[in-house]
Amino acid sequence: MKRFLLPTLIASTTLAAGTVLIPPFDPAERLPGGETTVFETGRNAFALPAANLDDRQLRDFTVGNAFFRGNWVEAPASTAARDGLGPHFIARSCGACHGEDGRGAPPAFENGLQAEQPVALLFRLSIPGNSPRGGPRPEPRYGEQFNNNAISGVQPEGQVRIRYEEIDGYFADGERYTLLKPHYMLSDLAYGPLHPQTMISPRIAPQMTGLGLLEAIRESDILANARAQAAAGGSVRGKPNRVWDAFQQRLVIGRFGWKANTGSIAHQTAAAFNGDIGITSPHFPNEDCRPTQTDCRKAPRGGKPEIGHRLLDQVILYSRTQAVPAMRQPDNPQVRRGRELFHAAQCATCHTPRYVTGEFKALPQLGKQTIYPYTDLLLHDMGEGLADNRPDHLARGRDWKTPPLWGLGLVPVVNGHTRYLHDGRARNLLEAVLWHGGEAEPAKQQVLKLSKQDRENLVQFLQSL
């Protein structure tokens, strides 16, 4: 990885902590996805194919798009290509969680009451111990994931109840802010009580942009991020997750998922079909029906497997090649000032701006691209406030992967909401910053000391990405 800080070209800015050196703005950042970047700022901003795909790849992208967005139905059905939903499931399609290929949100509340069951917010389950391949040990009655929906003749596993607690805080200038702390409960359990040591982890569906470019980042660059942070001697000490990949049949560095618990788009796609919709595929040939779930085990199937190699490959290509939108207003003085503040508060230590992707045989157009995803793809202790207290491979209960920031500012346009973080608890970008703790506590303390104008400048920068 080329180092981003160039000592002969740096500027400086002053925060409460003192003068901090700031790297200059690189004009290449206007195209954060390199040659794959698209120029769309409307509702389709996350849904366009990478700009450099060839005609054959564009045809596969179109087919993949159809199977990503279209609903699956119960078997047997006249539409043999799309039957096999469930028996248990959370959503009827990938697009139900990733609306417009964007970010999901927690359930709506009306008059203080939860108005619906979550769809884009799923709940991972496990008990202490590890699976044979080092992952979490599934909850005995309900498995790895809580399914709050089911086909006819099969009971949903239960219902999810959410309650929010308001937490007060103050900026250094005296302005008050509030954060929403969620509390989760699983109720109406169809197959008996949960194991007394059950651990629950909520995960919101993130936007789909630039996933293939993240996959094309060289493993050596991710490991270099960890070494650089350890050598710096500060509070930030990220580490890679190591996870089993069903397609490569080996342990790999985790890159995807809120705890970096998945190492490839292929594994992520097939696992989500299986866990979220109940669709089997060559690498995930069985639904997760537990021994006590007799109705689930006896339910009709849509084939063996329910999605074959060719169609699955087209959805994988689709997921790899959704383009990154261009940066907006990079020359706006507020954006420039916000960028200075972002670097000065050391946010870029974890939200690593720049990479040059390596060779990528599956899609050569994604290789050798200069990209600006703003992530180190490492796990960090984010403090007790964000902890789910559920280990996931090498991720501990307070660890979360640094999420990429590209496209953040377009979430309101694409999805009509501003809910951020792993469970959508943050109601805007500044709240997301204020939930940072653990290794990121010093950065948050810098933000708390900013003036109101500089807080707005920082958000303006994040919205430009």
Side-chain angles (χ1 to χ4, degrees):
M1 180 180 70
K2 295 178 180 178
R3 305 310 304 168
F4 189 62
L5 287 172
L6 303 176
T8 58
L9 296 175
I10 51 182
S12 68
T13 194
T14 301
L15 284 181
T19 300
V20 181
L21 301 177
I22 307 297
F25 179 76
D26 181 352
E29 190 168 352
R30 297 172 188 272
L31 304 178
E35 295 172 5
T36 73
T37 305
V38 296
F39 297 86
E40 170 62 46
T41 57
R43 195 162 184 208
N44 289 324
F46 298 156
L48 298 182
N52 57 355
L53 296 189
D54 61 31
D55 289 344
R56 179 186 59 79
Q57 291 164 336
L58 286 172
R59 286 194 294 273
D60 284 345
F61 182 93
T62 301
V63 175
N65 180 18
F67 277 84
F68 186 91
R69 293 174 180 245
N71 281 348
W72 290 74
V73 299
E74 298 179 22
S78 57
T79 172
R82 289 184 186 276
D83 71 342
L85 175 70
H88 289 130
F89 64 94
I90 297 171
R92 296 176 187 272
S93 70
C94 308
C97 298
H98 304 275
E100 306 299 329
D101 303 294
R103 177 180 292 257
F109 274 64
E110 296 175 3
N111 300 319
L113 299 175
Q114 183 181 331
E116 57 191 357
Q117 279 296 291
V119 175
L121 176 63
L122 62 81
F123 292 82
R124 293 281 169 82
L125 306 176
S126 61
I127 61 175
N130 291 321
S131 71
R133 286 176 171 152
R137 186 178 170 195
E139 200 285 335
R141 293 178 187 270
Y142 295 89
E144 298 177 357
Q145 196 161 293
F146 193 69
N147 290 276
N148 53 357
N149 213 335
I151 62 173
S152 54
V154 178
Q155 304 177 88
E157 291 184 329
Q159 301 286 292
V160 177
R161 307 296 178 196
I162 305 174
R163 174 176 65 83
Y164 288 105
E165 172 190 0
E166 206 164 72
I167 299 173
D168 289 333
Y170 292 88
F171 294 100
D173 63 8
E175 183 173 312
R176 175 176 175 262
Y177 66 83
T178 61
L179 302 175
L180 289 183
K181 179 180 179 181
H183 298 272
Y184 302 109
M185 184 179 74
L186 305 182
S187 68
D188 305 297
L189 299 171
Y191 302 102
L194 291 162
H195 187 283
Q197 293 180 286
T198 298
M199 298 172 283
I200 302 172
S201 181
R203 315 277 175 94
I204 205 84
Q207 66 259 34
M208 300 288 295
T209 47
L211 298 182
L213 292 168
L214 297 179
E215 196 170 21
I217 292 174
R218 286 172 289 204
E219 183 174 308
S220 59
D221 288 344
I222 300 171
L223 298 176
N225 289 336
R227 288 196 300 272
Q229 292 170 10
S235 63
V236 176
R237 292 175 179 270
K239 66 178 182 183
N241 206 347
R242 297 273 183 184
V243 300
W244 177 258
D245 188 273
F247 284 70
Q248 302 177 62
Q249 290 292 295
R250 64 184 179 92
L251 289 173
V252 300
I253 285 184
R255 298 166 186 255
F256 306 104
W258 289 99
K259 291 211 175 218
N261 61 325
T262 307
S264 70
I265 299 297
H267 183 111
Q268 175 69 36
T269 303
F273 263 124
N274 191 244
D276 302 349
I277 313 176
I279 302 300
T280 59
S281 59
H283 290 87
F284 290 84
N286 302 304
E287 294 93 347
D288 190 13
C289 294
R290 296 279 123 180
T292 56
Q293 298 178 347
T294 53
D295 54 353
C296 179
R297 296 165 67 87
K298 293 178 179 177
R301 265 57 177 178
K304 294 183 179 180
E306 291 162 333
I307 184 170
H309 280 292
R310 177 61 178 150
L311 278 176
L312 182 62
D313 284 347
Q314 289 168 315
V315 180
I316 291 169
L317 178 137
Y318 176 75
S319 301
R320 274 186 175 137
T321 56
Q322 288 169 60
V324 178
M327 189 180 186
R328 281 83 57 207
Q329 297 186 299
D331 300 319
N332 181 313
Q334 272 191 280
V335 171
R336 289 294 179 100
R337 174 61 178 164
R339 180 180 175 278
E340 291 179 359
L341 297 165
F342 182 86
H343 283 272
Q346 306 294 320
C347 304
T349 304
C350 300
H351 289 285
T352 307
R354 180 182 184 273
Y355 297 86
V356 177
T357 58
E359 299 280 353
F360 194 65
K361 292 181 180 178
L363 277 163
Q365 294 101 317
L366 302 184
K368 299 180 180 178
Q369 299 295 320
T370 300
I371 64 172
Y372 285 82
Y374 282 87
T375 173
D376 58 8
L377 294 177
L378 297 175
L379 297 168
H380 296 274
D381 179 343
M382 294 300 293
E384 194 59 34
L386 287 177
D388 65 357
N389 297 311
R390 177 182 180 272
D392 199 336
H393 296 82
L394 299 183
R396 299 163 301 184
R398 290 162 49 124
D399 291 345
W400 298 96
K401 183 199 72 180
T402 308
L405 300 183
W406 50 18
L408 272 190
L410 291 169
V411 170
V413 177
V414 173
N415 296 117
H417 68 77
T418 57
R419 303 302 291 264
Y420 300 100
L421 293 179
H422 67 278
D423 55 3
R425 69 177 65 187
R427 292 167 293 186
N428 54 55
L429 289 170
L430 191 55
E431 284 191 16
V433 173
L434 296 175
W435 270 108
H436 283 50
E439 296 178 30
E441 181 67 26
K444 183 185 77 176
Q445 291 301 322
Q446 291 297 325
V447 172
L448 287 171
K449 295 172 186 173
L450 296 179
S451 67
K452 185 177 183 62
Q453 181 59 59
D454 272 345
R455 297 197 296 268
E456 292 173 0
N457 293 336
L458 179 63
V459 170
Q460 191 82 7
F461 168 66
L462 296 174
Q463 290 174 335
S464 76
L465 298 176

